[in-house]
Amino acid sequence: MSGSLPFSTSSPPLQSRELPRMPVMRPRFQVPVLKPLTAALSRVVLPEKLKVAASESPVTVASPEGLEADRVTEAERKENGFSSRRRTKIICTIGPRTCNFEEIEALAVGGMNVARVNMCHGTREWHRNVIRRVKQLNEEKGFAVAVMMDTEGSEIHMGDLNGAESAKAQDGQIWTFTVRAFDPALRPERTVTVNYDGFAEDVKVGDELVVDGGMVRFVVIEKMGPDVICRCTDPGLLLPRANLTFRRDGSLVRERNAMLPTISSKDWLDIDFGIEEGVDFIAMSFVKSAEVIRTLKSYITAQSPGSQIGVIAKIESVGSLKNLKEIIQASDGAVLARGDLGAQIPLEQVPSVQQEVVQLCRKLNKPVVVASQLLESMIEYPIPTRAEVADVSEAVAQQADALMLSSESAMGQFPEKALTVLTSVSLRIEKCHREQKHLDAHATQTDLPIVSSSKADRIAEEICNTASRIANKLKADAIFVYTKTGQTASLLSRNRPDCPIFAFTPSTSIRRYLILQWGLMPFCLDFSDDAESNLNRSFSLLKARAMINSGDLVIVVSDIMQSIQAIKVP
Ligand SMILES: Nc1ncnc2c1ncn2[C@@H]1O[C@H](COP(=O)(O)OP(=O)(O)O)[C@@H](O)[C@H]1O
Ligand SMILES: C=C(OP(=O)(O)O)C(=O)O
Ligand SMILES: [K+]
Ligand SMILES: [Mg+2]
């Protein structure tokens, strides 16, 4: 994939945009083309043989050669060469704009690693179709796209707008927020339903009603039974099912939210649906405790023994920040969901919370996703703002595992261009990061705290830390890891080494599970009894796809033999 942004060179449209607080005209932005890096291989290497023990359970593999190749990886490798392969993963929310087969395929071609469906919106039938299309694409066209299902959660939100994509609230306009149920056709104009029955009782005249973290604001001027009459004080677009918070005397009123269950009865049905459809990750909205993560994990184990569904904690409320470490420790990863988080804490605190969450996840060896409003203006415009590019750059520089598109891909006008921006910015910033590290003679790998609790895990951890250090020092072209559980691959990724990590696993579900993690290119390989032949097969298969070349230096790690070897590709 080229590093340049294929944006139109014409100016953005001149009409004033629907979204508030966005500039009407913006100058063009372009990221220069990335030059392929050539691997300098002057070093003497140790042509030792890898001794990988045979897998006890050889597993299904997609292609006849025994390797399920990722088309995008292959294309990127061909164009960019090894070292400029994108390490930061990309999640795209699938919505009305991107839900048919061709549209999902276009995102997969553009580099989507994970497709997210948000159970806040749409029907289960709609989501089933999307999930099946992603799986069909993987099976028929050789992509490797994982599926993440995001629960609705039970925070207070507006109803859907009778099918309208949005509604505009003007300054000073009077709107009614109500807990009454309407026949959709009979809903009066400027009336919004609220999902929480206690809403009309809980709010008080004078309270500030904040929609979607401040995209629109109202003040409560009167209460009439189930209806709360409000005046718009900050105009903007109301989106279906937008989150609602209310503030009293400048502080967030959150007692009600604190009492709502994290997993509603509707969420449980959605979770059953997700397990049935074989999603790879379930992201739990508005997590408040580690306990609820453990509850879901044991439920999944009971419902679907041996399944590899990862439970991801969404950090998006004051409650989640209070128990941050325990929540992350209990989960299989975290999403920093800045949309709702920004509604619950002052906006100026979001960047420092982001940094804290990204660092903590790395310490605890859990993948972390930075989500929401990364390229918000691209919902309407084909180019991002400089501020958005800076925001994306910051998340990439922090070495988050993944970036996530929400509205930009779900209902925006330029989903593929938004994806291209994330790809180009990621490649550029990752490259700068590597170059900067090499220029700084004193830069050494920052020591990561010990994460393992058992002796066996500790051995694997030290092997991975050492293998990453060796790979960096020898300027290796790749790390190969043979892993049954995926743990060794994660521990390598945690080190954020300079070269890409090819992870070979016999399990298709472990493979998809690893897709979310920084720098990992997971493949399915049905390990045979002969370790040397496994290695040779990996070499020849990757060579045939131009993903490695003769003479490349590869550091090989095996979680079965607990070994590290430096091998020159024959
Ligand atoms: N399955 C869907 N059906 C209809 N609209 C959707 C769907 N998924 C997402 N959207 C639209 O895309 C927007 C952005 O998606 P997302 O960020 O996941 O949700 P939210 O805005 O509720 O946080 C939503 O507000 C909604 O308008
Ligand atoms: C990603 C988020 O969650 P959702 O889109 O489900 O509201 C968010 O709040 O930023
Ligand atoms: K959600
Ligand atoms: Mg949210």
Side-chain angles (χ1 to χ4, degrees), residues 116-121 149-153 267 283-286 314 316 340:
R116 165 188 181 248
V117 289
N118 187 352
M119 303 309 282
C120 269
H121 307 282
M149 188 191 89
D150 193 327
T151 64
E152 177 164 342
D267 288 338
M284 200 195 273
S285 294
F286 298 105
K314 285 175 74 189
E316 54 181 342
D340 283 302

Side-chain angles (χ1 to χ4, degrees), residues 247-534:
R247 291 179 170 267
R248 189 168 299 153
D249 305 323
S251 309
L252 186 73
V253 180
R254 57 175 302 274
E255 291 75 24
R256 283 294 152 193
N257 280 347
M259 281 165 59
L260 293 169
T262 302
I263 309 181
S264 69
S265 50
K266 188 236 178 204
D267 288 338
W268 281 116
L269 293 174
D270 288 340
I271 287 164
D272 285 339
F273 161 83
I275 295 172
E276 215 170 283
E277 290 300 317
V279 300
D280 302 296
F281 299 99
I282 296 179
M284 200 195 273
S285 294
F286 298 105
V287 172
K288 293 189 272 275
S289 70
E291 194 47 45
V292 72
I293 297 277
R294 287 192 283 267
T295 302
L296 179 56
K297 281 179 77 88
S298 51
Y299 181 75
I300 292 171
T301 309
Q303 293 300 109
S304 174
S307 91
Q308 300 294 336
I309 301 176
V311 173
I312 306 293
K314 285 175 74 189
I315 307 303
E316 54 181 342
S317 62
V318 175
S320 58
L321 295 181
K322 282 190 180 149
N323 303 310
L324 192 60
K325 192 172 176 195
E326 296 71 35
I327 290 172
I328 292 172
Q329 244 156 357
S331 69
D332 300 309
V335 170
L336 184 73
R338 305 184 305 179
D340 283 302
L341 187 65
Q344 296 220 355
I345 63 171
L347 283 182
E348 63 273 20
Q349 282 176 21
V350 175
S352 52
V353 170
Q354 175 176 322
Q355 190 171 8
E356 187 190 341
V357 171
V358 171
Q359 284 174 357
L360 186 59
C361 285
R362 172 105 177 267
K363 280 185 188 155
L364 298 175
N365 195 28
K366 307 286 181 178
V368 60
V369 181
V370 174
S372 295
Q373 299 168 357
L374 282 167
L375 298 173
E376 188 82 354
S377 79
M378 291 192 74
I379 295 169
E380 291 214 337
Y381 286 108
I383 55 168
T385 65
R386 279 115 184 92
E388 287 163 348
V389 172
D391 184 37
V392 173
S393 301
E394 180 64 14
V396 176
Q398 288 171 346
Q399 297 189 303
D401 288 82
L403 308 172
M404 187 172 108
L405 295 176
S406 295
S407 302
E408 301 95 332
S409 58
M411 40 82 87
Q413 291 184 41
F414 304 100
E416 290 162 44
K417 282 189 173 161
L419 186 52
T420 309
V421 173
L422 291 191
T423 299
S424 309
V425 176
S426 297
L427 285 168
R428 169 63 56 189
I429 300 300
E430 289 163 5
K431 183 169 175 273
C432 288
H433 195 269
R434 287 192 293 271
E435 285 170 357
Q436 219 145 17
K437 215 168 77 175
H438 290 136
L439 283 179
D440 179 0
H442 304 291
T444 49
Q445 191 172 0
T446 33
D447 268 332
L448 292 164
I450 295 162
V451 72
S452 313
S453 47
S454 72
K455 182 87 178 169
D457 288 352
R458 185 65 210 287
I459 294 170
E461 184 177 335
E462 287 303 333
I463 285 178
C464 291
N465 295 351
T466 306
S468 303
R469 208 167 287 143
I470 293 174
N472 287 351
K473 289 202 169 158
L474 294 181
K475 293 191 168 56
D477 296 285
I479 297 175
F480 278 19
V481 54
Y482 293 82
T483 177
K484 285 174 77 181
T485 62
Q487 177 69 1
T488 316
S490 296
L491 287 167
L492 285 164
S493 160
R494 178 183 187 233
N495 278 281
R496 307 297 195 245
D498 294 341
C499 64
I501 307 159
F502 289 106
F504 302 96
T505 172
S507 153
T508 45
S509 54
I510 295 281
R511 181 198 182 197
R512 286 198 303 269
Y513 186 82
L514 294 177
I515 286 172
L516 188 60
Q517 301 183 28
W518 192 95
L520 286 185
M521 285 196 267
F523 294 89
C524 262
L525 186 75
D526 53 345
F527 295 162
S528 76
D529 284 352
D530 181 357
E532 195 180 336
S533 106
N534 289 337

Side-chain angles (χ1 to χ4, degrees), residues 50 479-480 482 535 539 554-558 563-567:
L50 175 81
I479 297 175
F480 278 19
Y482 293 82
L535 187 62
F539 283 153
V554 177
I555 304 299
V556 181
V557 180
S558 158
S563 60
I564 305 174
Q565 290 177 303
I567 297 178

Side-chain angles (χ1 to χ4, degrees), residues 53-255:
S55 154
E56 285 144 33
S57 53
V59 194
T60 24
V61 189
S63 78
E65 305 107 303
L67 188 88
E68 199 180 297
D70 177 341
R71 286 186 163 215
V72 176
T73 303
E74 203 175 330
E76 285 186 351
R77 162 68 182 139
K78 276 181 183 150
E79 277 193 43
N80 289 311
F82 240 32
S83 315
S84 55
R85 164 95 176 92
R86 172 167 54 78
R87 313 293 202 270
T88 314
K89 303 305 179 74
I90 300 179
I91 304 178
C92 299
T93 302
I94 306 298
R97 204 60 167 227
T98 39
C99 61
N100 71 36
F101 192 82
E102 291 71 31
E103 289 161 341
I104 299 172
E105 183 173 6
L107 291 177
V109 170
M112 164 172 71
N113 302 105
V114 180
R116 165 188 181 248
V117 289
N118 187 352
M119 303 309 282
C120 269
H121 307 282
T123 60
R124 280 189 204 114
E125 201 47 44
W126 186 93
H127 293 290
R128 178 178 290 116
N129 285 331
V130 169
I131 295 168
R132 292 190 178 174
R133 280 170 203 149
V134 173
K135 290 185 176 280
Q136 191 188 339
L137 256 178
N138 288 344
E139 274 162 31
E140 290 176 5
K141 304 211 170 187
F143 289 100
V145 177
V147 175
M148 179 181 285
M149 188 191 89
D150 193 327
T151 64
E152 177 164 342
S154 51
E155 295 282 285
I156 303 172
H157 59 73
M158 306 182 343
D160 45 30
L161 304 164
N162 290 359
E165 268 195 15
S166 62
K168 191 160 189 179
Q170 310 267 19
D171 198 15
Q173 256 179 0
I174 305 299
W175 282 70
T176 302
F177 288 77
T178 182
V179 295
R180 269 190 286 169
F182 288 107
D183 181 336
L186 301 177
R187 189 174 58 100
E189 218 191 328
R190 289 186 206 153
T191 301
V192 172
T193 55
V194 178
N195 72 328
Y196 163 56
D197 284 345
F199 176 75
E201 279 166 52
D202 284 355
V203 291
K204 290 192 174 150
V205 171
D207 283 355
E208 187 183 36
L209 196 60
V210 182
V211 182
D212 225 355
M215 294 309 280
V216 192
R217 284 170 205 265
F218 295 87
V219 61
V220 177
I221 54 173
E222 198 182 349
K223 290 195 350 173
M224 293 200 322
D227 299 340
V228 176
I229 318 297
C230 302
R231 189 181 62 244
C232 180
T233 52
D234 241 344
L237 270 198
L238 300 174
L239 296 175
R241 303 202 166 219
N243 188 259
L244 292 177
T245 45
F246 48 107
R247 291 179 170 267
R248 189 168 299 153
D249 305 323
S251 309
L252 186 73
V253 180
R254 57 175 302 274
E255 291 75 24

